[in-house]
Amino acid sequence: MAESIVRAHAAEAGFDGLVAWDSAGTGPWHEGDGADRRAIAVLTDHGYEQDHIARQFQPAWFADLDLVIALDSGHLRELRALAPTPRDAAKVRLLRDYDPDADPDAPGGLDVPDPYFGGTDDFEEVLEMVEAASGGLLDAVAEALDSVAGAVDSVSVAPGEERV
C-alpha cells in the first residue's frame, strides 16, 4: 500500500522521472503474489492505483539506493542488519519519522501496523498513516534533490571539458 500511496503523492509533487519508488518485504512470504484483495479495495476506494508483486529485499540493492523506508521497528532492525556497511544501515528510516504528528510515545510508537490479519478498518488505518507521512517524506526527498542539484551546479568545469 505504501508504495502506491507515496508514488501517487510523488507524481502530484512533480517527482516523476526524478525518483524511483519500489517495494519489497523482508521475507519471502507471498513472493510473486499480487497485493492483498483488501489492500487493493482500500487503495481503489481512495483513488490509488497499484501493480504490486511481492518480492524479498536483497542486501545487494543497498548500493543503488539512497533511502530505504521501513514500516515498523522490526523491519527497521532487519533491514539495518542486512546492510553491508554502516553507511548503508544509515539509509534505513521509519516511514512515520516523516509524519510531524506521529507520537513516538504512543502505543505502537512510530510503527505502521501490519493489517494482514485484520479487517478493512485496519487497511484504512494504514492508508491514513502512510498518507500522513507522505508529505514529510517528499519534503525530505525534495531537500535531498535540491542538495544534489546544488552540488552539481557548484562543480566548476575547465574550458573544453564536459560536465556529466
Side-chain angles (χ1 to χ4, degrees):
M1 290 179 67
E3 178 191 359
S4 296
I5 296 165
V6 172
R7 183 183 300 271
H9 288 252
E12 288 174 12
F15 288 124
D16 276 348
L18 298 175
V19 178
W21 306 96
D22 203 351
S23 176
T26 56
W29 316 281
H30 309 289
E31 200 162 10
D33 294 345
D36 183 284
R37 63 178 170 69
R38 297 164 297 173
I40 294 170
V42 169
L43 288 168
T44 301
D45 286 350
H46 290 271
Y48 295 106
E49 296 180 15
Q50 71 79 37
D51 59 356
H52 177 75
I53 300 296
R55 59 198 181 119
Q56 187 173 359
F57 186 88
Q58 301 299 312
W61 297 351
F62 274 105
D64 296 324
L65 301 173
D66 297 308
L67 182 64
V68 177
I69 298 296
L71 295 185
D72 66 40
S73 53
H75 293 132
L76 179 78
R77 282 189 302 277
E78 288 179 58
L79 289 163
R80 286 183 173 165
L82 288 173
T85 69
R87 183 173 179 244
D88 289 326
K91 295 176 183 180
V92 185
R93 307 275 173 74
L94 278 174
L95 176 65
R96 292 194 70 212
D97 280 337
Y98 297 98
D99 179 352
D101 296 324
D103 180 1
D105 297 323
L110 295 177
D111 288 353
V112 174
D114 184 350
Y116 187 75
F117 295 104
T120 301
D121 288 347
D122 298 297
F123 285 85
E124 290 281 352
E125 178 185 20
V126 166
L127 181 133
E128 289 173 14
M129 289 178 168
V130 174
E131 285 182 332
S134 291
L137 173 60
L138 294 176
D139 288 345
V141 169
E143 187 175 311
L145 289 171
D146 288 345
S147 173
V148 169
V152 170
D153 288 342
S154 68
V155 173
S156 60
V157 179
E161 291 182 2
E162 290 185 40
R163 186 170 32 169
V164 182

